[in-house]
Amino acid sequence: MKPIPLLKTAVLAAALALSGGMTLAGTYNVSVDRIRIDAGEFKKTGIGYNGSQSPTVLRFKEGEQVTINVKNNLRESTSIHWHGLIVPFRQDGVPGISFNGIKPGTTFTYQFPIKQAGTYWFHSHTGFQEPDGAFGAIVIEPKGGETVRVQRDYVVQLTDKHPHNGSRVFRNLKMSADYYNRAQRTLEDLVRDSREDGFKQALQNRAMWGKMRMMPTDIEDVQGFAPLINGMGTQQNWTGIFKPSEKVRLRLINSSAMTYFDVRIPGLKMTVVQADGNDVKPVAVDELRISVAETYDVILQPREAKAYGIIAESMGRTAMVRGSLSPTQGYAGLVPRMRPQPLLTMADMGGMMDGMDMGGMDMGGMDHSAMTMSSQSSTMPEDMDHSKMDMSGDMEGMDHSKMDMSGDTKAVDHSKMDISGDTKAVDHSKMDMSGDTKAVDHSKMDMSGSAKAVDHSKMDMSRSMKGMDHSKMDMSGGMAGMNHSARDSKIGEFYAPGSGLIPSAANGGKFLSYNDLKAARPLYRDRPATRTIELRLTGNMERYIWSINGVKMDDAAPIRLKYGERVRFKFINETMMSHPMHLHGMWSILDTGKGKWDPIKHTVSIAPGTTVYTETEVDATGQWAFHCHLSYHAEAGMFRKVIVEGGPA
Ligand SMILES: [Cu+2]
């Protein structure tokens, strides 16, 4: 550590005096221990901090200089990464990138200034210690005190505790990628599908899935875990106490290894005031999805003296946990029934739809929602023939039989498309999608008839349709059938249109979207990015390999950034799973088209079949980790080292 200059010492002393003994240089002790974990449904040994399965909460103040002594009581090495904290890179806690790890029986001392406020968390970045239990919470009080005044302030830290330890889970996934997929469909499902879709259709869907060795239920690749709130299952019932009409702040943290949760508190609105530690303009919602490693702070105001349930349901609807808000201990909120399992759809395949930028475009009224098919580009069998694909369900005479989706094509040329007349059939047979451009040219499109068949209700033109030229489009006819009303489909923006993963609130109300997040205070001035780095999220599900641009960590060169530049990252998810991407050391500004009001995050979830942009002000010298925060995806190779060159040493 650099010696503190005299003047600074004096200032510090003065500040100490002014704050009436409040410490601006705190020392904290954390021990890493082998512990017994009682997950309610099962007991196991695992790893915990300070000897406990209920997460340790570290409370800091913005501006404080912290010293954290981490004593490793394990018989193996360990590490602590301060997730979302902007720290000097030697303090970031990633073995092999920022330091050498903490040897058994030794104490490592972290020291860094706290330059931010908000809710964060910490976890081991060694092996599978984090899935085995090594995580805690961090709450940092802003310099001037909390901006939102509340009477109660609780950390609500979620996890997915598995009866198997992390290394065993990973071994089993490597052996058979669907080892933990209990949601595989049965003969009964086939009979039900047949009733709904007709036997032929059902069989064809089956055959397609079979060929691709994928399931429409492949939403969670590790199931059979016990979800916990602050280390407690539903029966153990973690409870936050309140008095009616008090304002309650919940700091939701998802510390799961693999599980996205949909969180709601039936009977209460949640006002989101912070995302990933950064204040956002308040937005009231009925439910929100919290990706692995994200945090959301919400404010509630329960008026009635009764127990409310805090319900966290896994995205794949294979597990649920209930905690409570209650006027006294011993009362529990209701446990609702788990909602039906969503199924992946064609839109969630990502890779196969390469040529069509699914990021924001819906092929006008095409409804893929009933189509159950999924794959990754790399595992797509070559013998797949779309000409026999039965789309009879919702497709009303649409013919894609000659649709050419070969190559790298991004152009959609509708020039020969004739929608005149009164017909309901839309024939794309001459649709040519070759070429390299993103432009969609409708210039010769004749819509003079009554184009009843074109339903653009789910079409979202806000992002990737920039090249679309409608200038010469003849709209003189009766466009009565064209419906743009539901354009910004509320939360559709960050899901492929027709995705089976698009969440909806249990009570039919408002579900939070990334699109709703507006920074309360811009952290950076808005300026154009210097360059764009494309990161395709790729994988081979069968072999349980997860990668970036088709290359796994071991074989990849680091990403090199220049200090002072602003970089734009383009994430293209070509897999059928969601990936929460986490950049260490620097912020990720999520591009929602709001300029300087774009939300600032440390973890950004990329849903299957979507393209998402983030930007980063490269303001931290050193070496950093950049990875998917699903533990087993990171371990399997969806991980990169980032080197920032230049800047202060
Ligand atoms: Cu991390």
Side-chain angles (χ1 to χ4, degrees):
M1 246 199 77
K2 274 185 272 179
I4 301 168
L6 262 178
L7 183 67
K8 209 170 168 192
T9 315
V11 171
L12 203 68
L16 278 169
L18 274 176
S19 55
M22 184 185 74
T23 172
L24 284 177
T27 299
Y28 304 83
N29 298 309
V30 176
S31 66
V32 191
D33 307 296
R34 197 91 213 154
I35 59 164
R36 282 295 289 170
I37 291 175
D38 179 357
E41 296 165 27
F42 55 86
K43 292 183 174 65
K44 63 175 283 189
T45 56
I47 296 173
Y49 291 122
N50 296 326
S52 171
Q53 79 176 68
S54 55
T56 292
V57 182
L58 296 174
R59 293 180 187 275
F60 304 143
K61 286 194 166 65
E62 186 181 1
E64 175 181 355
Q65 178 75 28
V66 297
T67 300
I68 310 163
N69 302 309
V70 178
K71 178 156 197 310
N72 181 7
N73 292 328
L74 307 176
R75 277 180 290 183
E76 57 189 289
S77 279
T78 192
S79 60
I80 290 183
H81 163 58
W82 314 100
H83 186 106
L85 262 56
I86 301 300
V87 298
F89 98 93
R90 294 285 177 201
Q91 305 294 315
D92 193 48
V94 182
I97 294 184
S98 19
F99 77 144
N100 293 323
I102 309 169
K103 303 260 170 320
T106 66
T107 297
F108 183 87
T109 300
Y110 289 89
Q111 277 184 319
F112 48 85
I114 302 294
K115 297 189 210 163
Q116 60 199 107
T119 304
Y120 302 90
W121 62 295
F122 63 97
H123 60 84
S124 170
H125 228 288
T126 300
F128 298 109
Q129 291 175 357
E130 183 225 277
D132 288 344
F135 60 81
I138 298 172
V139 175
I140 308 173
E141 187 189 316
K143 242 175 210 151
E146 294 292 350
T147 44
V148 188
R149 302 226 171 268
V150 297
Q151 284 73 51
R152 310 275 178 172
D153 190 323
Y154 296 112
V155 166
V156 175
Q157 194 159 20
L158 294 158
T159 192
D160 52 354
K161 193 57 55 207
H162 205 277
H164 296 168
N165 67 33
S167 50
R168 182 169 167 196
V169 169
F170 191 63
R171 263 200 319 277
N172 287 335
L173 287 169
K174 273 292 189 188
M175 208 163 62
S176 156
D178 62 359
Y179 192 96
Y180 292 104
N181 187 350
R182 295 183 177 178
Q184 295 184 15
R185 313 194 78 207
T186 61
L187 185 65
E188 243 172 89
D189 293 325
L190 181 62
V191 172
R192 200 186 52 223
D193 286 356
S194 307
R195 233 178 275 137
E196 286 168 9
D197 311 332
F199 189 62
K200 199 175 138 215
Q201 171 86 53
L203 271 183
Q204 269 177 356
N205 281 343
R206 284 287 152 137
M208 266 191 282
W209 283 103
K211 259 190 210 169
M212 295 185 280
R213 299 197 178 86
M214 302 293 316
M215 320 269 156
T217 48
D218 274 334
I219 290 166
E220 292 165 349
D221 48 14
V222 180
Q223 301 166 15
F225 53 87
L228 304 178
I229 292 178
N230 293 335
M232 297 186 204
T234 297
Q235 293 313 311
Q236 297 153 318
N237 188 36
W238 178 84
T239 302
I241 300 295
F242 73 92
K243 289 200 192 96
S245 292
E246 279 183 336
K247 276 196 179 160
V248 181
R249 182 180 192 129
L250 301 183
R251 300 172 182 270
L252 306 171
I253 304 169
N254 189 353
S255 300
S256 295
M258 295 297 284
T259 309
Y260 282 48
F261 283 105
D262 291 347
V263 179
R264 66 189 197 269
I265 303 171
L268 293 179
K269 279 264 184 204
M270 303 183 284
T271 300
V272 179
V273 294
Q274 196 183 92
D276 288 6
N278 291 288
D279 287 349
V280 295
K281 302 246 166 78
V283 48
V285 301
D286 294 281
E287 190 165 347
L288 60 86
R289 174 163 294 173
I290 183 164
S291 310
V292 170
E294 286 186 319
T295 75
Y296 285 104
D297 283 32
V298 299
I299 309 286
L300 332 154
Q301 199 167 15
R303 305 261 175 202
E304 288 176 64
K306 64 166 200 180
Y308 295 86
I310 301 169
I311 311 297
E313 215 178 3
S314 81
M315 176 167 72
R317 308 286 183 254
T318 64
M320 185 167 79
V321 59
R322 185 274 337 267
S324 297
L325 288 172
S326 170
T328 77
Q329 284 291 348
Y331 288 90
L334 294 172
V335 182
R337 276 172 74 108
M338 204 140 56
R339 287 170 284 179
Q341 288 183 353
L343 295 180
L344 292 175
T345 68
M346 186 176 171
D348 297 313
M349 302 195 320
M352 187 206 161
M353 308 300 280
D354 248 344
M356 302 156 66
D357 190 349
M358 297 298 283
M361 178 169 166
D362 185 48
M363 299 293 286
M366 266 173 90
D367 181 4
H368 290 149
S369 62
M371 235 163 112
T372 48
M373 191 162 82
S374 176
S375 169
Q376 301 148 268
S377 56
S378 50
T379 57
M380 194 69 201
E382 275 159 30
D383 60 343
M384 202 166 153
D385 179 2
H386 285 135
S387 65
K388 290 170 202 116
M389 201 159 131
D390 183 5
M391 292 174 136
S392 53
D394 283 308
M395 309 293 292
E396 293 213 47
M398 271 173 106
D399 178 10
H400 284 135
S401 61
K402 287 163 206 131
M403 191 159 142
D404 176 16
M405 295 174 79
S406 59
D408 213 348
T409 152
K410 277 181 179 156
V412 180
D413 178 4
H414 286 157
S415 64
K416 287 164 204 128
M417 191 162 146
D418 178 14
I419 307 188
S420 61
D422 216 349
T423 167
K424 280 199 176 166
V426 178
D427 182 1
H428 283 161
S429 62
K430 286 162 209 130
M431 192 159 143
D432 172 18
M433 298 177 84
S434 60
D436 212 358
T437 160
K438 276 194 177 169
V440 178
D441 182 4
H442 285 149
S443 61
K444 288 162 206 133
M445 190 161 146
D446 175 17
M447 293 182 123
S448 51
S450 53
K452 284 204 179 105
V454 183
D455 175 8
H456 284 159
S457 64
K458 287 167 208 130
M459 188 157 147
D460 170 21
M461 300 167 100
S462 54
R463 287 194 309 154
S464 40
M465 304 282 288
K466 279 176 188 139
M468 229 168 140
D469 177 11
H470 284 133
S471 59
K472 288 166 208 127
M473 197 159 139
D474 177 13
M475 290 183 150
S476 53
M479 299 282 289
M482 242 173 132
N483 175 11
H484 286 133
S485 58
R487 231 181 76 176
D488 180 349
S489 56
K490 285 174 282 189
I491 60 169
E493 181 101 1
F494 287 92
Y495 296 89
S499 164
L501 298 178
I502 300 177
S504 61
N507 66 356
K510 167 74 184 161
F511 201 107
L512 181 72
S513 159
Y514 275 174
N515 225 355
D516 299 320
L517 301 175
K518 284 189 197 77
R521 291 169 301 275
L523 213 55
Y524 301 98
R525 80 191 164 88
D526 193 33
R527 59 161 178 155
T530 335
R531 59 189 172 122
T532 299
I533 296 176
E534 189 172 285
L535 300 174
R536 288 179 297 112
L537 308 179
T538 46
N540 180 328
M541 186 81 186
E542 237 182 290
R543 293 165 58 205
Y544 211 76
I545 289 172
W546 298 96
S547 52
I548 294 172
N549 296 333
V551 183
K552 53 190 174 94
M553 172 68 168
D554 297 343
D555 308 324
I559 296 170
R560 290 179 184 275
L561 306 179
K562 296 245 177 307
Y563 186 89
E565 72 174 336
R566 181 172 174 126
V567 164
R568 185 166 173 85
F569 291 103
K570 178 183 188 182
F571 297 93
I572 307 163
N573 188 347
E574 295 184 358
T575 77
M576 19 55 66
M577 294 201 72
S578 298
H579 303 287
M581 298 303 295
H582 171 47
L583 172 64
H584 289 223
M586 290 163 282
W587 291 111
S588 295
I589 306 164
L590 173 63
D591 186 355
T592 63
K594 294 178 186 71
K596 66 177 181 177
W597 306 106
D598 277 341
I600 301 141
K601 304 192 86 259
H602 49 59
T603 306
V604 174
S605 176
I606 323 288
T610 64
T611 298
V612 172
Y613 296 89
T614 67
E615 293 192 1
T616 290
E617 286 285 350
V618 181
D619 56 2
T621 301
Q623 305 191 141
W624 307 100
F626 193 1
H627 59 96
C628 171
H629 220 283
L630 300 182
S631 296
Y632 305 109
H633 290 191
E635 182 66 22
M638 200 176 267
F639 199 121
R640 280 294 184 276
K641 181 170 160 179
V642 169
I643 299 177
V644 175
E645 293 162 336

